Amino acid sequence: MIVGVASKDKSNQVRILNDSPYVVLDGENKKAEFNMESLGEFFNIISSFDGMHERFSREFLQSFDIHFPSADFNALAKAYEILCGDSFGSPEEYAKALSVLSKYKIYKTNIISEIYEKVNCRLGQFIKSSLEKSFPILNWVGDVSDVVGDPDAKTRLSEIIRDRAKEVFFTDYKKGGITAFWDEVKGGPFVEDVGKLLTDMSVADEYAEVIRLYDSSDAVLFLEIYCMLCRDILRKGESAKLIVSYCVTSCEKKPMTDSSYKRILLTLKKVVGDDALKFLLDGIKTYEPEIFDSVVDHVIVVSSGRGLTLDDMFLLCGDLSEYGMYDKEQMLVRHYIEDAENIMELEAFSERAVSAACFDEKTKEKIYELLDGRVNVEGQDSEIFAASIQKNLPKDTVCTNSAHIVAIDNLLHMKKGDSVKMCLKPYIKQDFPSVLSKNYVARLISALLKIKTTREDQWFILDLLLESPDIFLKQYMSALVMTAESNPEKWERTLEFIYASPNARTKRKLESILSSSIVNSGLKKKNLDALGKLLSDKSMRKYYENIIDDAADEIKERDGSIVSKLFGGFRK
């Protein structure tokens, strides 16, 4: 556009800006001002003063809803040169030019009809050169066909797309290009044409072997496209499962990566929801049974992990149980239990697993053994979890860690009239006590000394410790020696138990442990004498004195005469 400026008009000062399409005429200085670079093709056309200039201004620009001049005129001028000039542009050049026209509302004019015919005439050439690069051209033809009155255009274009899709997905698959083709088609007007081809089971059956040869990435993409285009995949039923089996078979032969399986399950979940795994397994079991076990193993690996929720885990187990695949269930459960990040998740699992119909009895036993492996016997943060395991575990299942935790808790919460034997009976069957953790042993001994016991209880405890690893009895004796004054009844009953032991070998072992406990206690003579006075029975006091004498001999043998002088007065 040409603009004249009056210098005396203060409000109408004009200067040329970058990309400005204006020409300013300076009458005083007799010159014109304009930005040559910004004018580009537009300037070339309007300054040509020939038929091209006239057609551009009077016909081409009148074909669009343009009311004001703008920098876009350069792009329009460039498009005009390509579309209306004598040269033959490439698919890329035509696509770029038509994309400029697509920004505007187009009216039917002679020049638009000419451009449309010219593009149609060269369409075969463009497609042969590169269909993917020609998609913008096809889209433009489809859009403008209604404007110029060509009712058969969309049918022709649909046939072109279907033929090309058939080549890309099937007949010329080895040449590649599925991803590039789909990137151009999706979201465009031709997606339904591709859908009709890919969801046609006669086509899928014809090219089943080709699908089975896909790379993993292409197989997964094919399935994603199929699920996207098959609007009612459940209604398709067996046909859809067959497609799934083709794609998974292809992936298994490559072999498939975990990420590919994740994409497959996610894709199926979008269209069939929680039935995704069942849908997948049904298809494989029916049409590709030879890879069924391998598929299940892959599914377990990609489904487990820290992203697996408890609900999802039970859904997966339910699907596996339908096929009687309890060994696979155990694999999945092992992954879930080992990967669980906190005890609360495992507590919830324990509460649900006991009544879950998807687990057989053997699997339930394995579940609670695995759960027991997560119990921390070193600390006291697993008490609720351990109690849940012991409450729910199947009959005759051995869960040693939780048994040890609950045993201490039960001891400390014994009610009046309860016996230690009945309190510990369920846990003795589960190898209690056998955990040799230093912290645990100390906690158990502390509990045994803390509780009130009858003579029968005390003797039962000593019998139990005798049958357990030596560390328990040794630690108990050592602790009892140090706390005898506050546990006089336990102290006397322990001496009675040792004295009354019918087995000579057992008796010598008990006496040796008690003697060593006394030696290692570091107690002085007066303290040890005080322990003897706690015994109400004269024969027990005499028996205790003999043990003290043995302790003195042991110290003399171990440390020599100098140290033994400290204990010289023990002998009577």
Side-chain angles (χ1 to χ4, degrees):
M1 179 176 288
I2 299 175
V3 179
V5 180
S7 60
K8 294 181 179 180
D9 185 351
K10 300 297 185 182
S11 63
N12 194 15
Q13 294 296 318
V14 177
R15 62 188 179 90
I16 299 300
L17 301 176
N18 289 335
D19 298 326
S20 171
Y22 297 98
V23 175
V24 178
L25 297 182
D26 184 346
E28 289 186 353
N29 297 311
K30 308 299 182 183
K31 66 178 182 178
E33 296 182 44
F34 52 87
N35 188 328
M36 190 68 180
E37 291 183 3
S38 68
L39 294 177
E41 287 77 11
F42 175 69
F43 179 77
N44 292 336
I45 291 175
I46 63 172
S47 62
S48 62
F49 302 106
D50 56 15
M52 193 171 190
H53 170 204
E54 183 177 349
R55 291 200 74 197
F56 176 76
S57 302
R58 295 185 179 182
E59 294 184 52
F60 187 74
L61 292 181
Q62 308 308 315
S63 302
F64 312 101
D65 58 339
I66 299 174
H67 305 289
F68 303 99
S70 70
D72 290 345
F73 275 18
N74 277 331
L76 282 167
K78 179 66 175 177
Y80 174 75
E81 284 188 335
I82 293 172
L83 300 172
C84 299
D86 296 330
S87 61
F88 290 92
S90 66
E92 295 94 329
E93 289 176 322
Y94 262 71
K96 187 175 180 180
L98 293 174
S99 68
V100 173
L101 272 55
S102 298
K103 296 178 182 179
Y104 305 94
K105 181 178 180 180
I106 299 178
Y107 301 105
K108 183 179 180 181
T109 62
N110 289 336
I111 198 168
I112 290 298
S113 295
E114 289 175 15
I115 292 172
Y116 181 81
E117 288 300 322
K118 185 177 181 181
V119 170
N120 264 287
C121 288
R122 297 199 61 195
L123 204 53
Q125 178 185 345
F126 292 149
I127 292 170
K128 186 176 181 180
S129 173
S130 172
L131 175 65
E132 284 67 40
K133 294 178 181 179
S134 301
F135 268 110
I137 303 174
L138 296 173
N139 291 335
W140 185 84
V141 171
D143 292 339
V144 178
S145 62
D146 292 334
V147 176
V148 300
D150 183 7
D152 298 328
K154 292 180 179 177
T155 301
R156 294 196 308 273
L157 295 175
S158 293
E159 291 175 355
I160 291 172
I161 294 300
R162 282 198 296 271
D163 288 345
R164 179 55 181 159
K166 195 170 184 178
E167 292 176 357
V168 170
F169 285 99
F170 306 123
T171 59
D172 285 336
Y173 162 69
K174 291 184 179 180
K175 293 182 179 179
I178 288 180
T179 300
F181 177 83
W182 180 244
D183 285 343
E184 293 293 342
V185 170
K186 64 182 179 182
F190 304 113
V191 68
E192 289 191 10
D193 297 309
V194 177
K196 289 177 182 178
L197 175 74
L198 298 187
T199 58
D200 184 341
M201 283 310 299
S202 64
V203 175
D205 290 339
E206 181 180 356
Y207 295 104
E209 290 306 313
V210 176
I211 299 174
R212 289 191 177 100
L213 293 175
Y214 278 177
D215 290 333
S216 295
S217 57
D218 285 338
V220 176
L221 178 59
F222 182 88
L223 182 61
E224 289 174 340
I225 296 170
Y226 178 86
C227 290
M228 181 189 303
L229 300 177
C230 187
R231 295 177 179 175
D232 191 0
I233 195 169
L234 288 176
R235 184 174 59 81
K236 289 277 186 180
E238 294 306 309
S239 297
K241 290 176 182 177
L242 184 59
I243 292 294
V244 171
S245 71
Y246 289 162
C247 294
V248 174
T249 298
S250 170
C251 294
E252 278 289 324
K253 291 178 179 178
K254 298 307 173 189
M256 180 182 266
T257 62
D258 289 346
S259 61
S260 295
Y261 262 110
K262 286 181 180 179
R263 283 175 61 189
I264 287 176
L265 289 172
L266 181 61
T267 297
L268 292 176
K269 193 166 187 176
K270 288 179 181 177
V271 290
V272 298
D274 290 338
D275 292 326
L277 179 59
K278 188 176 187 305
F279 193 89
L280 169 64
L281 296 182
D282 281 350
I284 301 301
K285 188 73 172 178
T286 303
Y287 299 107
E288 305 287 352
E290 66 277 5
I291 64 169
F292 185 73
D293 282 355
S294 176
V295 170
V296 172
D297 289 342
H298 274 294
V299 168
I300 288 173
V301 171
V302 302
S303 298
S304 58
R306 292 175 182 172
L308 182 68
T309 66
L310 188 59
D311 288 339
D312 286 341
M313 199 277 298
F314 273 97
L315 281 172
L316 290 172
C317 286
D319 291 333
L320 293 172
S321 69
E322 287 193 22
Y323 298 98
M325 304 186 76
Y326 298 110
D327 57 330
K328 305 297 184 182
E329 272 190 320
Q330 291 180 26
M331 287 176 58
L332 177 61
V333 167
R334 179 182 294 105
H335 281 296
Y336 180 82
I337 291 174
E338 290 176 352
D339 292 337
E341 292 184 308
N342 59 70
I343 294 299
M344 292 180 65
E345 291 180 53
L346 298 175
E347 289 172 16
F349 182 35
S350 172
E351 294 299 321
R352 286 181 61 174
V354 64
S355 58
C358 59
F359 300 133
D360 65 355
E361 288 305 309
K362 186 176 180 180
T363 301
K364 286 183 180 179
E365 290 178 12
K366 188 63 178 178
I367 285 172
Y368 285 95
E369 289 172 0
L370 289 168
L371 288 171
D372 189 67
R374 290 295 304 271
V375 173
N376 176 22
V377 294
E378 290 285 343
Q380 295 175 281
D381 58 342
S382 298
E383 290 181 356
I384 297 176
F385 177 37
S388 174
I389 294 174
Q390 288 297 312
K391 180 184 71 173
N392 297 315
L393 58 80
K395 185 180 179 181
D396 298 328
T397 304
V398 175
C399 293
T400 304
N401 291 339
S402 56
H404 279 67
I405 296 290
V406 178
I408 291 179
D409 188 62
N410 280 9
L411 283 171
L412 295 175
H413 293 89
M414 284 177 57
K415 297 178 181 178
K416 188 176 181 180
D418 289 348
S419 70
V420 173
K421 182 177 182 179
M422 293 307 297
C423 175
L424 297 180
K425 185 177 179 180
Y427 315 114
I428 293 172
K429 294 179 180 179
Q430 299 178 64
D431 299 328
F432 170 85
S434 61
V435 171
L436 303 181
S437 157
K438 182 177 180 181
N439 289 337
Y440 180 80
V441 173
R443 286 173 56 210
L444 176 60
I445 300 307
S446 175
L448 291 173
L449 292 174
K450 185 176 182 179
I451 61 175
K452 292 183 179 181
T453 56
T454 63
R455 184 175 185 273
E456 182 182 359
D457 288 334
Q458 186 65 19
W459 282 35
F460 173 79
I461 290 171
L462 293 168
D463 266 328
L464 177 63
L465 298 182
L466 260 173
E467 296 173 1
S468 305
D470 286 349
I471 186 174
F472 290 98
L473 186 58
K474 289 178 179 179
Q475 293 288 342
Y476 182 80
M477 288 292 192
S478 296
L480 183 60
V481 169
M482 300 301 295
T483 60
E485 291 189 52
S486 57
N487 288 294
E489 290 182 344
K490 289 186 177 70
W491 172 241
E492 185 159 11
R493 289 166 182 162
T494 297
L495 267 293
E496 291 173 354
F497 176 82
I498 298 173
Y499 183 75
S501 180
N503 185 290
R505 185 175 180 180
T506 300
K507 186 173 185 176
R508 285 196 300 272
K509 177 180 178 179
L510 289 167
E511 289 174 342
S512 174
I513 291 175
L514 179 57
S515 178
S516 295
S517 298
I518 292 171
V519 170
N520 295 326
S521 69
L523 294 175
K524 295 181 179 180
K525 179 180 180 300
K526 65 176 182 179
N527 299 115
L528 296 173
D529 288 342
L531 296 185
K533 293 176 182 178
L534 294 174
L535 303 171
S536 59
D537 185 90
K538 184 177 180 180
S539 61
M540 285 299 101
R541 287 198 298 273
K542 181 61 179 175
Y543 179 57
Y544 172 69
E545 290 172 0
N546 291 335
I547 292 175
I548 291 295
D549 288 343
D550 291 338
D553 289 340
E554 183 177 339
I555 291 176
K556 181 178 180 181
E557 181 180 342
R558 186 191 68 188
D559 298 332
S561 59
I562 296 177
V563 177
S564 69
K565 290 179 182 178
L566 297 174
F567 289 81
F570 290 173
R571 293 194 177 278
K572 302 298 180 182

